[in-house]
Amino acid sequence: MKQPVFFLSHGGGPWPWLDGPFREGFAWLEASLKALPAQLPEPPRAVLAVSGHWEEAEFTVSSAAQPGMVYDYYGFPKHTYHISYPAPGDPALAARVRALAAAAGITVGDDPARGFDHGTFSMMQPIRPQADLPVVSLSMKVGYDPAAHLALGRALAPLREEGVVIMGSGLSYHNLRMFDARAAEPSRQFDGWLRHSLLDLDPEARAAALLRWEQAPYARVTHPREDHLIPLMVAVGAAGGDPGVCIYSENDLRGGITASAYRFGEDVTPTGFDKLAA
């Protein structure tokens, strides 16, 4: 069976390993991530995670059999620099990613030393806390060309028939200098544009809209640097002609930010975690 594709929020830093108000601020996101396995048509073989925290001069895939950890955050408690998400890698899947990309004329490099960054492990911890599902990481390409990332997603679409769940990991709003109530209106308007583009347009128009994402309302306010948006392009490319559904939304993240996440596939059943549903 064909697995769906996701664009998810991974939250802030190592939040699943924290307690108190910071962790509680991601309660709705956490509930939506825990609900994700029930949305799969059958148990997956592996996850291919496109992280908003990894970019290289060329697309690159992690090929370690036992990936380590990349603590790519700062200012958190000491114990969060010793946490572990001990999921295995999948060198065979990494090789398959490179082969599919090459067949489409796209170069994908190989990194046997790359570990899990928090764009991957903070997302996967609520989804698969037992850490027994192989996870392979895929980088973005420097320059953030939407067309290039859409093309890579299209090239990797056959993985969906091979038991692989493709997950773009980022955040629909990501301006760390405005991560407070000032973001309420910009995030609301950008999120509205994103929802319309992903859910209301046909697949061809959907992709065309993403190519022009900088024309969206408050585009460069919500994404001064689009690293947390570009994983969506890979997901939409891999989605092909499949429709999408919003599987997580809220308008009170961190004091008023609107954020959302999406699933693309044949099943467009809502999940119950869309606070903004009409």
Side-chain angles (χ1 to χ4, degrees):
M1 299 180 70
K2 184 167 68 171
Q3 294 285 1
V5 183
F6 295 88
F7 173 64
L8 303 173
S9 168
H10 55 249
W15 65 270
W17 285 268
L18 297 171
D19 295 309
F22 188 83
R23 168 75 176 271
E24 292 164 5
F26 296 105
W28 192 245
L29 172 64
E30 182 170 10
S32 73
L33 292 173
K34 287 181 174 179
L36 188 148
Q39 302 170 42
L40 304 179
E42 61 185 10
R45 167 193 151 201
V47 167
L48 179 65
V50 187
S51 173
H53 284 265
W54 187 21
E55 60 187 82
E56 298 286 352
E58 297 288 348
F59 292 116
T60 306
V61 67
S62 66
S63 59
Q66 295 293 331
M69 300 286 285
V70 179
Y71 303 116
D72 53 340
Y73 41 77
Y74 59 91
F76 287 92
K78 185 176 180 179
H79 79 271
T80 64
Y81 297 90
H82 300 279
I83 60 178
S84 176
Y85 185 76
D90 189 336
L93 174 56
R96 177 70 171 142
V97 167
R98 296 184 69 199
L100 286 170
I106 302 170
T107 299
V108 172
D110 172 82
D111 188 342
R114 179 72 184 187
F116 298 136
D117 57 54
H118 97 257
T120 299
F121 64 72
S122 290
M123 169 185 71
M124 290 302 303
Q125 175 67 15
I127 294 172
R128 193 83 170 194
Q130 58 269 49
D132 60 348
L133 184 65
V135 179
V136 169
S137 300
L138 177 64
S139 82
M140 300 174 290
K141 184 177 179 179
V142 168
Y144 303 136
D145 178 12
H149 290 79
L150 282 163
L152 180 60
R154 295 185 187 107
L156 300 180
L159 294 174
R160 299 176 59 194
E161 302 276 7
E162 300 170 15
V164 178
V165 179
I166 299 172
M167 296 181 180
S169 173
L171 187 60
S172 59
Y173 175 89
H174 196 253
N175 182 343
L176 295 180
R177 295 187 177 184
M178 193 187 289
F179 222 77
D180 51 39
R182 294 174 297 162
E185 186 62 15
S187 66
R188 185 190 68 81
Q189 291 208 32
F190 183 82
D191 196 82
W193 171 87
L194 190 64
R195 178 183 290 249
H196 167 69
S197 299
L198 297 180
L199 304 187
D200 298 337
L201 302 181
D202 63 59
E204 183 176 349
R206 177 174 69 191
L210 292 181
L211 291 175
R212 303 188 303 270
W213 77 269
E214 289 182 274
Q215 299 176 22
Y218 291 100
R220 280 299 178 186
V221 175
T222 56
H223 292 280
R225 189 169 183 267
E226 60 266 41
D227 50 339
H228 279 56
L229 181 67
I230 288 297
L232 169 65
M233 312 303 174
V234 180
V236 168
D242 286 347
V245 62
C246 183
I247 59 169
Y248 152 78
S249 73
E250 59 180 309
N251 58 8
D252 52 1
L253 179 68
R254 304 286 289 189
I257 293 171
T258 300
S260 56
Y262 297 88
R263 182 184 73 240
F264 303 92
E266 297 170 353
D267 180 7
V268 291
T269 305
T271 63
F273 295 98
D274 180 3
K275 288 186 177 180
L276 306 182

